[in-house]
Amino acid sequence: MNGPVATAASTPVAPPGASLAPPLPQSPWFPASPCTPHCARPAAPPVSRLATARRYAAFGQVVAGALASPSATRDGQAVRDRARALLTSLDVHLDAGDVPLTVPGTGTLVVADHISWLDIVALLACEPVTLVAKREVGRWPVVGPLARRVGTCFIDRGSLRALPQAVDRVREFLAAGRTVAVFPQGTTWCSAAGGGFRRAMFQAAIDARVPVRPVTLSYLQYGRPSAVAGFLGDEGFVPSLHRVAQADGLAVRIRAHAPLPTGPGSDRRELAAAAQESVFRDQPRRHG
């Protein structure tokens, strides 16, 4: 990526295994999900303790290298390589398909479902996109520092007053020809088809007159749908990472769908509904 586009304030990191989720504020902008860590059941027996330990060692080495080298989180190709290395360290297979996230020749708003902290790593492993994420992501261990270093644009889900400014920043990125990835569900769900798409960020694509690329993220173990990678409810990062480190045959599948054009007269409600239909089509629904 071409340097940071946003800077998050330094915040304390909770102890390992502790919950990093703040209390839900009384705000219509703050999305909620019924999913809990109990939804994150594996679809295959775990690997051995020795294999898990080896994955932790490899994962730690990649993270340490990324944080120690500024260029590793600023240069686009380096970001992609490091993200792929993170997936490889945990033996997570990336199945990205043949369709790129970016629509050639223009800025692109990528909209994807949200299941896990691995979603961020997987998208960056495909292309060095600019990410828009909830403010809490900046506080996550491992992922938080990396997200800040690659220039993630953090938004406050509990503040309706801050929303127009966030939408305008995304519009500027898109108008400048950048690819910006957002999670319109606003929070994680245990399957691809859960929760509706919030409409606000679609206005940025309309104002910038760039297309929207719907993208479906899903996780499988030996080809079977699996929620083992889920980062759900008030779960801490460490338990979620441990499930991933133990998961056998885990793959993340990314499917980019046909772009949705924008132009004069485009309606963000209709655009969000069309994107949601593309992302959730043929996906198993567990909640919502």
Side-chain angles (χ1 to χ4, degrees), residues 38-47 219-230 243 246-251 286:
H38 295 292
C39 299
R41 293 183 293 272
V47 299
Y219 292 87
L220 306 98
Q221 288 184 272
Y222 291 109
R224 298 168 54 195
S226 174
V228 70
R243 275 199 313 275
Q246 288 184 309
D248 194 17
L250 182 61
R286 296 179 182 166

mmCIF file with all atom_site columns, all heavy atoms in Angstrom, residues 38-47 219-230 243 246-251 286:
data_model
loop_
_atom_site.group_PDB
_atom_site.id
_atom_site.type_symbol
_atom_site.label_atom_id
_atom_site.label_alt_id
_atom_site.label_comp_id
_atom_site.label_asym_id
_atom_site.label_entity_id
_atom_site.label_seq_id
_atom_site.pdbx_PDB_ins_code
_atom_site.Cartn_x
_atom_site.Cartn_y
_atom_site.Cartn_z
_atom_site.occupancy
_atom_site.B_iso_or_equiv
_atom_site.pdbx_formal_charge
_atom_site.auth_seq_id
_atom_site.auth_comp_id
_atom_site.auth_asym_id
_atom_site.auth_atom_id
_atom_site.pdbx_PDB_model_num
ATOM 1   N N   . HIS A 1 38  ? -19.754 -20.422 20.995 1.00 0.00 ? 38  HIS A N   1
ATOM 2   C CA  . HIS A 1 38  ? -20.292 -21.779 20.885 1.00 0.00 ? 38  HIS A CA  1
ATOM 3   C C   . HIS A 1 38  ? -20.662 -22.127 19.443 1.00 0.00 ? 38  HIS A C   1
ATOM 4   O O   . HIS A 1 38  ? -20.800 -23.305 19.096 1.00 0.00 ? 38  HIS A O   1
ATOM 5   C CB  . HIS A 1 38  ? -21.525 -21.920 21.787 1.00 0.00 ? 38  HIS A CB  1
ATOM 6   C CG  . HIS A 1 38  ? -21.229 -21.785 23.244 1.00 0.00 ? 38  HIS A CG  1
ATOM 7   N ND1 . HIS A 1 38  ? -20.491 -22.717 23.951 1.00 0.00 ? 38  HIS A ND1 1
ATOM 8   C CD2 . HIS A 1 38  ? -21.542 -20.809 24.141 1.00 0.00 ? 38  HIS A CD2 1
ATOM 9   C CE1 . HIS A 1 38  ? -20.373 -22.338 25.214 1.00 0.00 ? 38  HIS A CE1 1
ATOM 10  N NE2 . HIS A 1 38  ? -20.999 -21.189 25.357 1.00 0.00 ? 38  HIS A NE2 1
ATOM 11  N N   . CYS A 1 39  ? -20.845 -21.096 18.605 1.00 0.00 ? 39  CYS A N   1
ATOM 12  C CA  . CYS A 1 39  ? -21.141 -21.348 17.189 1.00 0.00 ? 39  CYS A CA  1
ATOM 13  C C   . CYS A 1 39  ? -19.914 -21.850 16.428 1.00 0.00 ? 39  CYS A C   1
ATOM 14  O O   . CYS A 1 39  ? -20.058 -22.449 15.350 1.00 0.00 ? 39  CYS A O   1
ATOM 15  C CB  . CYS A 1 39  ? -21.627 -20.065 16.518 1.00 0.00 ? 39  CYS A CB  1
ATOM 16  S SG  . CYS A 1 39  ? -23.146 -19.348 17.189 1.00 0.00 ? 39  CYS A SG  1
ATOM 17  N N   . ALA A 1 40  ? -18.728 -21.572 16.959 1.00 0.00 ? 40  ALA A N   1
ATOM 18  C CA  . ALA A 1 40  ? -17.484 -21.832 16.222 1.00 0.00 ? 40  ALA A CA  1
ATOM 19  C C   . ALA A 1 40  ? -17.026 -23.275 16.385 1.00 0.00 ? 40  ALA A C   1
ATOM 20  O O   . ALA A 1 40  ? -15.947 -23.567 16.895 1.00 0.00 ? 40  ALA A O   1
ATOM 21  C CB  . ALA A 1 40  ? -16.389 -20.870 16.678 1.00 0.00 ? 40  ALA A CB  1
ATOM 22  N N   . ARG A 1 41  ? -17.855 -24.179 15.929 1.00 0.00 ? 41  ARG A N   1
ATOM 23  C CA  . ARG A 1 41  ? -17.539 -25.603 16.054 1.00 0.00 ? 41  ARG A CA  1
ATOM 24  C C   . ARG A 1 41  ? -16.727 -26.075 14.851 1.00 0.00 ? 41  ARG A C   1
ATOM 25  O O   . ARG A 1 41  ? -17.057 -25.749 13.710 1.00 0.00 ? 41  ARG A O   1
ATOM 26  C CB  . ARG A 1 41  ? -18.830 -26.419 16.169 1.00 0.00 ? 41  ARG A CB  1
ATOM 27  C CG  . ARG A 1 41  ? -19.600 -26.157 17.457 1.00 0.00 ? 41  ARG A CG  1
ATOM 28  C CD  . ARG A 1 41  ? -20.832 -27.037 17.545 1.00 0.00 ? 41  ARG A CD  1
ATOM 29  N NE  . ARG A 1 41  ? -21.817 -26.688 16.525 1.00 0.00 ? 41  ARG A NE  1
ATOM 30  C CZ  . ARG A 1 41  ? -22.750 -25.763 16.683 1.00 0.00 ? 41  ARG A CZ  1
ATOM 31  N NH1 . ARG A 1 41  ? -22.824 -25.093 17.819 1.00 0.00 ? 41  ARG A NH1 1
ATOM 32  N NH2 . ARG A 1 41  ? -23.609 -25.506 15.714 1.00 0.00 ? 41  ARG A NH2 1
ATOM 33  N N   . PRO A 1 42  ? -15.683 -26.862 15.096 1.00 0.00 ? 42  PRO A N   1
ATOM 34  C CA  . PRO A 1 42  ? -14.875 -27.385 13.980 1.00 0.00 ? 42  PRO A CA  1
ATOM 35  C C   . PRO A 1 42  ? -15.636 -28.448 13.208 1.00 0.00 ? 42  PRO A C   1
ATOM 36  O O   . PRO A 1 42  ? -16.538 -29.107 13.735 1.00 0.00 ? 42  PRO A O   1
ATOM 37  C CB  . PRO A 1 42  ? -13.647 -27.975 14.683 1.00 0.00 ? 42  PRO A CB  1
ATOM 38  C CG  . PRO A 1 42  ? -14.131 -28.327 16.052 1.00 0.00 ? 42  PRO A CG  1
ATOM 39  C CD  . PRO A 1 42  ? -15.154 -27.290 16.412 1.00 0.00 ? 42  PRO A CD  1
ATOM 40  N N   . ALA A 1 43  ? -15.254 -28.626 11.961 1.00 0.00 ? 43  ALA A N   1
ATOM 41  C CA  . ALA A 1 43  ? -15.857 -29.651 11.115 1.00 0.00 ? 43  ALA A CA  1
ATOM 42  C C   . ALA A 1 43  ? -14.933 -30.841 10.940 1.00 0.00 ? 43  ALA A C   1
ATOM 43  O O   . ALA A 1 43  ? -15.229 -31.743 10.155 1.00 0.00 ? 43  ALA A O   1
ATOM 44  C CB  . ALA A 1 43  ? -16.210 -29.062 9.752  1.00 0.00 ? 43  ALA A CB  1
ATOM 45  N N   . ALA A 1 44  ? -13.820 -30.858 11.679 1.00 0.00 ? 44  ALA A N   1
ATOM 46  C CA  . ALA A 1 44  ? -12.862 -31.959 11.613 1.00 0.00 ? 44  ALA A CA  1
ATOM 47  C C   . ALA A 1 44  ? -12.099 -32.013 12.932 1.00 0.00 ? 44  ALA A C   1
ATOM 48  O O   . ALA A 1 44  ? -11.979 -30.989 13.622 1.00 0.00 ? 44  ALA A O   1
ATOM 49  C CB  . ALA A 1 44  ? -11.897 -31.764 10.443 1.00 0.00 ? 44  ALA A CB  1
ATOM 50  N N   . PRO A 1 45  ? -11.583 -33.184 13.319 1.00 0.00 ? 45  PRO A N   1
ATOM 51  C CA  . PRO A 1 45  ? -10.792 -33.288 14.557 1.00 0.00 ? 45  PRO A CA  1
ATOM 52  C C   . PRO A 1 45  ? -9.561  -32.385 14.498 1.00 0.00 ? 45  PRO A C   1
ATOM 53  O O   . PRO A 1 45  ? -9.032  -32.110 13.416 1.00 0.00 ? 45  PRO A O   1
ATOM 54  C CB  . PRO A 1 45  ? -10.402 -34.766 14.602 1.00 0.00 ? 45  PRO A CB  1
ATOM 55  C CG  . PRO A 1 45  ? -11.414 -35.459 13.754 1.00 0.00 ? 45  PRO A CG  1
ATOM 56  C CD  . PRO A 1 45  ? -11.754 -34.491 12.664 1.00 0.00 ? 45  PRO A CD  1
ATOM 57  N N   . PRO A 1 46  ? -9.077  -31.915 15.653 1.00 0.00 ? 46  PRO A N   1
ATOM 58  C CA  . PRO A 1 46  ? -7.907  -31.026 15.662 1.00 0.00 ? 46  PRO A CA  1
ATOM 59  C C   . PRO A 1 46  ? -6.620  -31.759 15.329 1.00 0.00 ? 46  PRO A C   1
ATOM 60  O O   . PRO A 1 46  ? -6.531  -32.987 15.428 1.00 0.00 ? 46  PRO A O   1
ATOM 61  C CB  . PRO A 1 46  ? -7.884  -30.509 17.110 1.00 0.00 ? 46  PRO A CB  1
ATOM 62  C CG  . PRO A 1 46  ? -8.530  -31.595 17.904 1.00 0.00 ? 46  PRO A CG  1
ATOM 63  C CD  . PRO A 1 46  ? -9.599  -32.161 17.013 1.00 0.00 ? 46  PRO A CD  1
ATOM 64  N N   . VAL A 1 47  ? -5.601  -30.984 14.943 1.00 0.00 ? 47  VAL A N   1
ATOM 65  C CA  . VAL A 1 47  ? -4.281  -31.550 14.709 1.00 0.00 ? 47  VAL A CA  1
ATOM 66  C C   . VAL A 1 47  ? -3.620  -31.838 16.054 1.00 0.00 ? 47  VAL A C   1
ATOM 67  O O   . VAL A 1 47  ? -4.131  -31.474 17.117 1.00 0.00 ? 47  VAL A O   1
ATOM 68  C CB  . VAL A 1 47  ? -3.403  -30.583 13.876 1.00 0.00 ? 47  VAL A CB  1
ATOM 69  C CG1 . VAL A 1 47  ? -4.026  -30.323 12.518 1.00 0.00 ? 47  VAL A CG1 1
ATOM 70  C CG2 . VAL A 1 47  ? -3.189  -29.263 14.622 1.00 0.00 ? 47  VAL A CG2 1
ATOM 71  N N   . TYR A 1 219 ? -15.357 -20.258 5.126  1.00 0.00 ? 219 TYR A N   1
ATOM 72  C CA  . TYR A 1 219 ? -14.317 -21.137 5.670  1.00 0.00 ? 219 TYR A CA  1
ATOM 73  C C   . TYR A 1 219 ? -14.772 -22.586 5.568  1.00 0.00 ? 219 TYR A C   1
ATOM 74  O O   . TYR A 1 219 ? -15.947 -22.910 5.800  1.00 0.00 ? 219 TYR A O   1
ATOM 75  C CB  . TYR A 1 219 ? -14.024 -20.763 7.125  1.00 0.00 ? 219 TYR A CB  1
ATOM 76  C CG  . TYR A 1 219 ? -13.374 -19.409 7.234  1.00 0.00 ? 219 TYR A CG  1
ATOM 77  C CD1 . TYR A 1 219 ? -14.143 -18.245 7.306  1.00 0.00 ? 219 TYR A CD1 1
ATOM 78  C CD2 . TYR A 1 219 ? -11.988 -19.274 7.231  1.00 0.00 ? 219 TYR A CD2 1
ATOM 79  C CE1 . TYR A 1 219 ? -13.552 -16.995 7.372  1.00 0.00 ? 219 TYR A CE1 1
ATOM 80  C CE2 . TYR A 1 219 ? -11.389 -18.036 7.299  1.00 0.00 ? 219 TYR A CE2 1
ATOM 81  C CZ  . TYR A 1 219 ? -12.172 -16.896 7.373  1.00 0.00 ? 219 TYR A CZ  1
ATOM 82  O OH  . TYR A 1 219 ? -11.584 -15.656 7.427  1.00 0.00 ? 219 TYR A OH  1
ATOM 83  N N   . LEU A 1 220 ? -13.836 -23.446 5.214  1.00 0.00 ? 220 LEU A N   1
ATOM 84  C CA  . LEU A 1 220 ? -14.125 -24.860 5.047  1.00 0.00 ? 220 LEU A CA  1
ATOM 85  C C   . LEU A 1 220 ? -13.018 -25.700 5.675  1.00 0.00 ? 220 LEU A C   1
ATOM 86  O O   . LEU A 1 220 ? -11.869 -25.244 5.763  1.00 0.00 ? 220 LEU A O   1
ATOM 87  C CB  . LEU A 1 220 ? -14.249 -25.228 3.561  1.00 0.00 ? 220 LEU A CB  1
ATOM 88  C CG  . LEU A 1 220 ? -15.235 -24.423 2.723  1.00 0.00 ? 220 LEU A CG  1
ATOM 89  C CD1 . LEU A 1 220 ? -14.486 -23.324 1.959  1.00 0.00 ? 220 LEU A CD1 1
ATOM 90  C CD2 . LEU A 1 220 ? -15.986 -25.316 1.759  1.00 0.00 ? 220 LEU A CD2 1
ATOM 91  N N   . GLN A 1 221 ? -13.386 -26.897 6.108  1.00 0.00 ? 221 GLN A N   1
ATOM 92  C CA  . GLN A 1 221 ? -12.414 -27.892 6.540  1.00 0.00 ? 221 GLN A CA  1
ATOM 93  C C   . GLN A 1 221 ? -12.637 -29.144 5.699  1.00 0.00 ? 221 GLN A C   1
ATOM 94  O O   . GLN A 1 221 ? -13.718 -29.749 5.739  1.00 0.00 ? 221 GLN A O   1
ATOM 95  C CB  . GLN A 1 221 ? -12.579 -28.213 8.022  1.00 0.00 ? 221 GLN A CB  1
ATOM 96  C CG  . GLN A 1 221 ? -12.109 -27.086 8.942  1.00 0.00 ? 221 GLN A CG  1
ATOM 97  C CD  . GLN A 1 221 ? -12.186 -27.455 10.397 1.00 0.00 ? 221 GLN A CD  1
ATOM 98  O OE1 . GLN A 1 221 ? -13.229 -27.256 11.024 1.00 0.00 ? 221 GLN A OE1 1
ATOM 99  N NE2 . GLN A 1 221 ? -11.098 -28.002 10.940 1.00 0.00 ? 221 GLN A NE2 1
ATOM 100 N N   . TYR A 1 222 ? -11.627 -29.468 4.915  1.00 0.00 ? 222 TYR A N   1
ATOM 101 C CA  . TYR A 1 222 ? -11.721 -30.584 3.978  1.00 0.00 ? 222 TYR A CA  1
ATOM 102 C C   . TYR A 1 222 ? -12.981 -30.473 3.111  1.00 0.00 ? 222 TYR A C   1
ATOM 103 O O   . TYR A 1 222 ? -13.684 -31.455 2.878  1.00 0.00 ? 222 TYR A O   1
ATOM 104 C CB  . TYR A 1 222 ? -11.679 -31.919 4.723  1.00 0.00 ? 222 TYR A CB  1
ATOM 105 C CG  . TYR A 1 222 ? -10.324 -32.191 5.328  1.00 0.00 ? 222 TYR A CG  1
ATOM 106 C CD1 . TYR A 1 222 ? -10.136 -32.131 6.706  1.00 0.00 ? 222 TYR A CD1 1
ATOM 107 C CD2 . TYR A 1 222 ? -9.233  -32.481 4.515  1.00 0.00 ? 222 TYR A CD2 1
ATOM 108 C CE1 . TYR A 1 222 ? -8.881  -32.359 7.265  1.00 0.00 ? 222 TYR A CE1 1
ATOM 109 C CE2 . TYR A 1 222 ? -7.969  -32.714 5.074  1.00 0.00 ? 222 TYR A CE2 1
ATOM 110 C CZ  . TYR A 1 222 ? -7.804  -32.653 6.434  1.00 0.00 ? 222 TYR A CZ  1
ATOM 111 O OH  . TYR A 1 222 ? -6.567  -32.874 6.992  1.00 0.00 ? 222 TYR A OH  1
ATOM 112 N N   . GLY A 1 223 ? -13.251 -29.241 2.669  1.00 0.00 ? 223 GLY A N   1
ATOM 113 C CA  . GLY A 1 223 ? -14.358 -29.001 1.756  1.00 0.00 ? 223 GLY A CA  1
ATOM 114 C C   . GLY A 1 223 ? -15.713 -28.854 2.408  1.00 0.00 ? 223 GLY A C   1
ATOM 115 O O   . GLY A 1 223 ? -16.699 -28.564 1.718  1.00 0.00 ? 223 GLY A O   1
ATOM 116 N N   . ARG A 1 224 ? -15.789 -29.010 3.718  1.00 0.00 ? 224 ARG A N   1
ATOM 117 C CA  . ARG A 1 224 ? -17.074 -28.880 4.422  1.00 0.00 ? 224 ARG A CA  1
ATOM 118 C C   . ARG A 1 224 ? -17.137 -27.519 5.110  1.00 0.00 ? 224 ARG A C   1
ATOM 119 O O   . ARG A 1 224 ? -16.156 -27.079 5.722  1.00 0.00 ? 224 ARG A O   1
ATOM 120 C CB  . ARG A 1 224 ? -17.215 -29.989 5.470  1.00 0.00 ? 224 ARG A CB  1
ATOM 121 C CG  . ARG A 1 224 ? -17.225 -31.393 4.894  1.00 0.00 ? 224 ARG A CG  1
ATOM 122 C CD  . ARG A 1 224 ? -17.066 -32.425 5.995  1.00 0.00 ? 224 ARG A CD  1
ATOM 123 N NE  . ARG A 1 224 ? -18.062 -32.265 7.052  1.00 0.00 ? 224 ARG A NE  1
ATOM 124 C CZ  . ARG A 1 224 ? -17.963 -32.839 8.253  1.00 0.00 ? 224 ARG A CZ  1
ATOM 125 N NH1 . ARG A 1 224 ? -16.884 -33.589 8.542  1.00 0.00 ? 224 ARG A NH1 1
ATOM 126 N NH2 . ARG A 1 224 ? -18.904 -32.670 9.148  1.00 0.00 ? 224 ARG A NH2 1
ATOM 127 N N   . PRO A 1 225 ? -18.298 -26.830 5.058  1.00 0.00 ? 225 PRO A N   1
ATOM 128 C CA  . PRO A 1 225 ? -18.427 -25.540 5.739  1.00 0.00 ? 225 PRO A CA  1
ATOM 129 C C   . PRO A 1 225 ? -18.069 -25.661 7.208  1.00 0.00 ? 225 PRO A C   1
ATOM 130 O O   . PRO A 1 225 ? -18.459 -26.621 7.886  1.00 0.00 ? 225 PRO A O   1
ATOM 131 C CB  . PRO A 1 225 ? -19.913 -25.198 5.553  1.00 0.00 ? 225 PRO A CB  1
ATOM 132 C CG  . PRO A 1 225 ? -20.308 -25.912 4.300  1.00 0.00 ? 225 PRO A CG  1
ATOM 133 C CD  . PRO A 1 225 ? -19.523 -27.204 4.317  1.00 0.00 ? 225 PRO A CD  1
ATOM 134 N N   . SER A 1 226 ? -17.298 -24.699 7.700  1.00 0.00 ? 226 SER A N   1
ATOM 135 C CA  . SER A 1 226 ? -16.836 -24.742 9.082  1.00 0.00 ? 226 SER A CA  1
ATOM 136 C C   . SER A 1 226 ? -16.863 -23.342 9.680  1.00 0.00 ? 226 SER A C   1
ATOM 137 O O   . SER A 1 226 ? -16.526 -22.363 9.020  1.00 0.00 ? 226 SER A O   1
ATOM 138 C CB  . SER A 1 226 ? -15.405 -25.302 9.146  1.00 0.00 ? 226 SER A CB  1
ATOM 139 O OG  . SER A 1 226 ? -14.882 -25.219 10.455 1.00 0.00 ? 226 SER A OG  1
ATOM 140 N N   . ALA A 1 227 ? -17.256 -23.257 10.952 1.00 0.00 ? 227 ALA A N   1
ATOM 141 C CA  . ALA A 1 227 ? -17.259 -21.985 11.683 1.00 0.00 ? 227 ALA A CA  1
ATOM 142 C C   . ALA A 1 227 ? -16.077 -21.890 12.639 1.00 0.00 ? 227 ALA A C   1
ATOM 143 O O   . ALA A 1 227 ? -16.037 -21.001 13.478 1.00 0.00 ? 227 ALA A O   1
ATOM 144 C CB  . ALA A 1 227 ? -18.565 -21.832 12.463 1.00 0.00 ? 227 ALA A CB  1
ATOM 145 N N   . VAL A 1 228 ? -15.096 -22.785 12.502 1.00 0.00 ? 228 VAL A N   1
ATOM 146 C CA  . VAL A 1 228 ? -14.002 -22.857 13.457 1.00 0.00 ? 228 VAL A CA  1
ATOM 147 C C   . VAL A 1 228 ? -13.187 -21.570 13.506 1.00 0.00 ? 228 VAL A C   1
ATOM 148 O O   . VAL A 1 228 ? -12.590 -21.233 14.539 1.00 0.00 ? 228 VAL A O   1
ATOM 149 C CB  . VAL A 1 228 ? -13.093 -24.064 13.144 1.00 0.00 ? 228 VAL A CB  1
ATOM 150 C CG1 . VAL A 1 228 ? -12.301 -23.843 11.862 1.00 0.00 ? 228 VAL A CG1 1
ATOM 151 C CG2 . VAL A 1 228 ? -12.170 -24.380 14.310 1.00 0.00 ? 228 VAL A CG2 1
ATOM 152 N N   . ALA A 1 229 ? -13.154 -20.812 12.413 1.00 0.00 ? 229 ALA A N   1
ATOM 153 C CA  . ALA A 1 229 ? -12.368 -19.577 12.380 1.00 0.00 ? 229 ALA A CA  1
ATOM 154 C C   . ALA A 1 229 ? -13.128 -18.381 12.934 1.00 0.00 ? 229 ALA A C   1
ATOM 155 O O   . ALA A 1 229 ? -12.571 -17.284 13.022 1.00 0.00 ? 229 ALA A O   1
ATOM 156 C CB  . ALA A 1 229 ? -11.933 -19.275 10.948 1.00 0.00 ? 229 ALA A CB  1
ATOM 157 N N   . GLY A 1 230 ? -14.370 -18.571 13.322 1.00 0.00 ? 230 GLY A N   1
ATOM 158 C CA  . GLY A 1 230 ? -15.184 -17.447 13.787 1.00 0.00 ? 230 GLY A CA  1
ATOM 159 C C   . GLY A 1 230 ? -14.577 -16.720 14.976 1.00 0.00 ? 230 GLY A C   1
ATOM 160 O O   . GLY A 1 230 ? -13.981 -17.331 15.870 1.00 0.00 ? 230 GLY A O   1
ATOM 161 N N   . ARG A 1 243 ? -8.114  -21.970 18.245 1.00 0.00 ? 243 ARG A N   1
ATOM 162 C CA  . ARG A 1 243 ? -8.945  -22.852 17.424 1.00 0.00 ? 243 ARG A CA  1
ATOM 163 C C   . ARG A 1 243 ? -8.402  -22.952 16.007 1.00 0.00 ? 243 ARG A C   1
ATOM 164 O O   . ARG A 1 243 ? -8.364  -24.029 15.409 1.00 0.00 ? 243 ARG A O   1
ATOM 165 C CB  . ARG A 1 243 ? -10.387 -22.346 17.377 1.00 0.00 ? 243 ARG A CB  1
ATOM 166 C CG  . ARG A 1 243 ? -11.262 -22.783 18.518 1.00 0.00 ? 243 ARG A CG  1
ATOM 167 C CD  . ARG A 1 243 ? -12.737 -22.651 18.173 1.00 0.00 ? 243 ARG A CD  1
ATOM 168 N NE  . ARG A 1 243 ? -13.052 -21.364 17.578 1.00 0.00 ? 243 ARG A NE  1
ATOM 169 C CZ  . ARG A 1 243 ? -13.321 -20.265 18.253 1.00 0.00 ? 243 ARG A CZ  1
ATOM 170 N NH1 . ARG A 1 243 ? -13.333 -20.305 19.579 1.00 0.00 ? 243 ARG A NH1 1
ATOM 171 N NH2 . ARG A 1 243 ? -13.606 -19.138 17.634 1.00 0.00 ? 243 ARG A NH2 1
ATOM 172 N N   . GLN A 1 246 ? -5.317  -25.058 15.779 1.00 0.00 ? 246 GLN A N   1
ATOM 173 C CA  . GLN A 1 246 ? -5.603  -26.486 15.927 1.00 0.00 ? 246 GLN A CA  1
ATOM 174 C C   . GLN A 1 246 ? -6.383  -27.061 14.747 1.00 0.00 ? 246 GLN A C   1
ATOM 175 O O   . GLN A 1 246 ? -6.491  -28.281 14.617 1.00 0.00 ? 246 GLN A O   1
ATOM 176 C CB  . GLN A 1 246 ? -6.427  -26.726 17.193 1.00 0.00 ? 246 GLN A CB  1
ATOM 177 C CG  . GLN A 1 246 ? -5.671  -26.563 18.494 1.00 0.00 ? 246 GLN A CG  1
ATOM 178 C CD  . GLN A 1 246 ? -6.558  -26.930 19.671 1.00 0.00 ? 246 GLN A CD  1
ATOM 179 O OE1 . GLN A 1 246 ? -7.678  -26.448 19.795 1.00 0.00 ? 246 GLN A OE1 1
ATOM 180 N NE2 . GLN A 1 246 ? -6.059  -27.794 20.539 1.00 0.00 ? 246 GLN A NE2 1
ATOM 181 N N   . ALA A 1 247 ? -6.935  -26.198 13.913 1.00 0.00 ? 247 ALA A N   1
ATOM 182 C CA  . ALA A 1 247 ? -7.857  -26.657 12.873 1.00 0.00 ? 247 ALA A CA  1
ATOM 183 C C   . ALA A 1 247 ? -7.129  -27.443 11.787 1.00 0.00 ? 247 ALA A C   1
ATOM 184 O O   . ALA A 1 247 ? -6.089  -27.017 11.285 1.00 0.00 ? 247 ALA A O   1
ATOM 185 C CB  . ALA A 1 247 ? -8.583  -25.464 12.259 1.00 0.00 ? 247 ALA A CB  1
ATOM 186 N N   . ASP A 1 248 ? -7.693  -28.558 11.423 1.00 0.00 ? 248 ASP A N   1
ATOM 187 C CA  . ASP A 1 248 ? -7.104  -29.401 10.392 1.00 0.00 ? 248 ASP A CA  1
ATOM 188 C C   . ASP A 1 248 ? -7.849  -29.195 9.073  1.00 0.00 ? 248 ASP A C   1
ATOM 189 O O   . ASP A 1 248 ? -9.078  -29.126 9.045  1.00 0.00 ? 248 ASP A O   1
ATOM 190 C CB  . ASP A 1 248 ? -7.212  -30.870 10.811 1.00 0.00 ? 248 ASP A CB  1
ATOM 191 C CG  . ASP A 1 248 ? -6.326  -31.777 9.972  1.00 0.00 ? 248 ASP A CG  1
ATOM 192 O OD1 . ASP A 1 248 ? -5.408  -31.268 9.303  1.00 0.00 ? 248 ASP A OD1 1
ATOM 193 O OD2 . ASP A 1 248 ? -6.555  -33.005 9.994  1.00 0.00 ? 248 ASP A OD2 1
ATOM 194 N N   . GLY A 1 249 ? -7.083  -29.044 7.994  1.00 0.00 ? 249 GLY A N   1
ATOM 195 C CA  . GLY A 1 249 ? -7.694  -28.924 6.674  1.00 0.00 ? 249 GLY A CA  1
ATOM 196 C C   . GLY A 1 249 ? -8.455  -27.636 6.460  1.00 0.00 ? 249 GLY A C   1
ATOM 197 O O   . GLY A 1 249 ? -9.397  -27.596 5.653  1.00 0.00 ? 249 GLY A O   1
ATOM 198 N N   . LEU A 1 250 ? -8.059  -26.550 7.142  1.00 0.00 ? 250 LEU A N   1
ATOM 199 C CA  . LEU A 1 250 ? -8.804  -25.298 7.062  1.00 0.00 ? 250 LEU A CA  1
ATOM 200 C C   . LEU A 1 250 ? -8.439  -24.507 5.807  1.00 0.00 ? 250 LEU A C   1
ATOM 201 O O   . LEU A 1 250 ? -7.267  -24.372 5.461  1.00 0.00 ? 250 LEU A O   1
ATOM 202 C CB  . LEU A 1 250 ? -8.525  -24.439 8.301  1.00 0.00 ? 250 LEU A CB  1
ATOM 203 C CG  . LEU A 1 250 ? -9.283  -23.105 8.402  1.00 0.00 ? 250 LEU A CG  1
ATOM 204 C CD1 . LEU A 1 250 ? -10.788 -23.323 8.431  1.00 0.00 ? 250 LEU A CD1 1
ATOM 205 C CD2 . LEU A 1 250 ? -8.830  -22.327 9.646  1.00 0.00 ? 250 LEU A CD2 1
ATOM 206 N N   . ALA A 1 251 ? -9.452  -23.993 5.156  1.00 0.00 ? 251 ALA A N   1
ATOM 207 C CA  . ALA A 1 251 ? -9.260  -23.150 3.975  1.00 0.00 ? 251 ALA A CA  1
ATOM 208 C C   . ALA A 1 251 ? -10.197 -21.951 4.056  1.00 0.00 ? 251 ALA A C   1
ATOM 209 O O   . ALA A 1 251 ? -11.303 -22.050 4.589  1.00 0.00 ? 251 ALA A O   1
ATOM 210 C CB  . ALA A 1 251 ? -9.554  -23.939 2.697  1.00 0.00 ? 251 ALA A CB  1
ATOM 211 N N   . ARG A 1 286 ? -27.367 -19.488 9.179  1.00 0.00 ? 286 ARG A N   1
ATOM 212 C CA  . ARG A 1 286 ? -27.477 -20.059 10.518 1.00 0.00 ? 286 ARG A CA  1
ATOM 213 C C   . ARG A 1 286 ? -28.197 -19.126 11.478 1.00 0.00 ? 286 ARG A C   1
ATOM 214 O O   . ARG A 1 286 ? -28.865 -19.575 12.390 1.00 0.00 ? 286 ARG A O   1
ATOM 215 C CB  . ARG A 1 286 ? -26.071 -20.369 11.062 1.00 0.00 ? 286 ARG A CB  1
ATOM 216 C CG  . ARG A 1 286 ? -25.358 -21.434 10.240 1.00 0.00 ? 286 ARG A CG  1
ATOM 217 C CD  . ARG A 1 286 ? -23.971 -21.708 10.774 1.00 0.00 ? 286 ARG A CD  1
ATOM 218 N NE  . ARG A 1 286 ? -23.307 -22.700 9.936  1.00 0.00 ? 286 ARG A NE  1
ATOM 219 C CZ  . ARG A 1 286 ? -22.025 -22.958 9.977  1.00 0.00 ? 286 ARG A CZ  1
ATOM 220 N NH1 . ARG A 1 286 ? -21.246 -22.312 10.808 1.00 0.00 ? 286 ARG A NH1 1
ATOM 221 N NH2 . ARG A 1 286 ? -21.490 -23.865 9.202  1.00 0.00 ? 286 ARG A NH2 1
#
